[in-house]
Every structure is written in C-alpha cells, then in structure tokens.
Amino acid sequence: MKLDSQLSCIRLAHQALETVTPIRQDCGELCGRACCKGDENTGMWLLPGEAELLQGQEGFSVRPCQDNGGYPLLVCQGSCDRKYRPFACRIYPFFPLATEREDGSLNIRVISDPRAAGCPLARHTLPGRPRDVTQSFRFRLAQAALALLEDPELRRYLLDTSRFLTEIIQLREKLGQ
C-alpha cells in the first residue's frame, strides 16, 4: 500500500511536468545534450519508489547508489522515451526547494540546483533565482513538488534534499563562489 501511494504521487508529479520545459528552446542545443551522455557511474538520482516505475524501460538502467539517501541512480544510455523520464530529468538543472515555516507549512521555491554547476542553464541563472526559466515551468514544478509532499517518504526526501542543497548554497556563498 505504501508503494502504491508513492507511485500515485510520482505519477502526478510526472504528469504536472509532462508538457513543460525550463526554457522556450531545446536546452540540449546549448550543451550538446550533455546530461543524456553520462558514463556507467553518472546519472540522475531517483525518488523513493521511482525505480519501480522505470524498471524494464529502454534507454536507461537503474543502479544501486550510496549517495541520495541510498535510493537508486538512473544511468542514461543517450536517448529514451521522454514520457518515461524520471523526475530529476524532467526538472534538471532545477529543484523545488522545500522549506518548513514556523507554523509547519511548507514553502516551495524553484532554484538552480547547485549540483548542476556544469549545465549552461544553471550557470546563467542565480542560485535561488532562475531568471530565464518560464513561469509555466516554475508553476508546474511547484505543483509537482506539492504532489510529492503528499507521501511521507517523498516528503522526507524532498525536505532532506532541500536542506542538503541549502547547505551547499550557503557554503559556496561563504567561499565567495
């Protein structure tokens, strides 16, 4: 039952992002589709439960991962059926930063993911303020995050990842980067 809840939330998040992209052009033209050309150890981190949606799909493989809270890594083989892209591919190089307010409610803010420093889209936007990102993408990414927050494990994952990314951003600010 727990997995069914996760899968339902992940499907809703995927659907929210199905028809939007971060910018109005094909961002792969900016970098030669670098994010789709990883090696056997480079890939996108999967959400809790997301591997079950992707098992057996052509174009990528799911591998164990020590990082990402122990959740698996998806390794791309260069092309895939876009309707099966994982959440991380749909939002790259951005992230829905979730922070808890004092009253317990959550704030969702679309940021440039500091782990994607090599991506041209991430380099041309400021951490925390992606200027060139379409309004529809930001809105849909926030909707997708809200869908994920409905499941306790996905909520914990988003909050933990948000804290981790905030620490990276703060450290880079201290170092003047």
Side-chain angles (χ1 to χ4, degrees):
M1 192 59 127
K2 176 184 144 187
L3 182 59
D4 289 340
S5 169
Q6 281 181 338
L7 295 178
S8 176
C9 293
I10 293 168
R11 283 185 185 106
L12 286 173
H14 284 193
Q15 287 171 358
L17 297 163
E18 192 66 36
T19 61
V20 295
T21 56
I23 61 174
R24 288 181 175 85
Q25 70 183 79
D26 180 353
C27 66
E29 293 173 0
L30 302 174
C31 64
R33 293 173 174 60
C35 59
C36 293
K37 295 179 182 175
D39 58 30
E40 61 200 35
N41 299 309
T42 305
M44 297 298 225
W45 289 349
L46 296 177
L47 298 168
E50 195 170 28
E52 285 74 7
L53 281 179
L54 304 172
Q55 290 294 345
Q57 296 301 325
E58 292 186 27
F60 44 73
S61 59
V62 176
R63 308 243 167 109
C65 180
Q66 296 301 314
D67 297 322
N68 193 35
Y71 296 106
L73 178 77
L74 177 127
V75 177
C76 183
Q77 296 160 358
S79 66
C80 68
D81 185 336
R82 288 181 59 83
K83 71 180 176 183
Y84 295 111
R85 291 173 298 147
F87 185 72
C89 290
R90 293 168 192 259
I91 67 171
Y92 188 83
F94 303 102
F95 193 82
L97 192 77
T99 53
E100 289 184 276
R101 296 182 179 118
E102 288 183 22
D103 66 2
S105 65
L106 292 175
N107 180 51
I108 304 293
R109 188 168 50 110
V110 175
I111 66 162
S112 295
D113 191 326
R115 300 170 294 183
C119 175
L121 280 183
R123 283 195 308 258
H124 295 342
T125 59
L126 299 172
R129 288 198 352 236
R131 296 173 301 196
D132 301 330
V133 180
T134 66
Q135 190 68 27
S136 61
F137 176 78
R138 280 185 264 195
F139 177 76
R140 293 286 189 88
L141 180 47
Q143 281 185 317
L146 290 172
L148 296 174
L149 290 168
E150 292 297 315
D151 176 79
E153 190 173 358
L154 290 166
R155 180 186 184 96
R156 186 173 40 258
Y157 177 87
L158 280 181
L159 289 169
D160 288 348
T161 303
S162 293
R163 282 189 282 277
F164 174 69
L165 297 181
T166 299
E167 289 173 7
I168 292 172
I169 292 167
Q170 291 170 345
L171 180 59
R172 285 186 179 165
E173 287 172 355
K174 284 182 183 177
L175 296 173
Q177 296 179 346

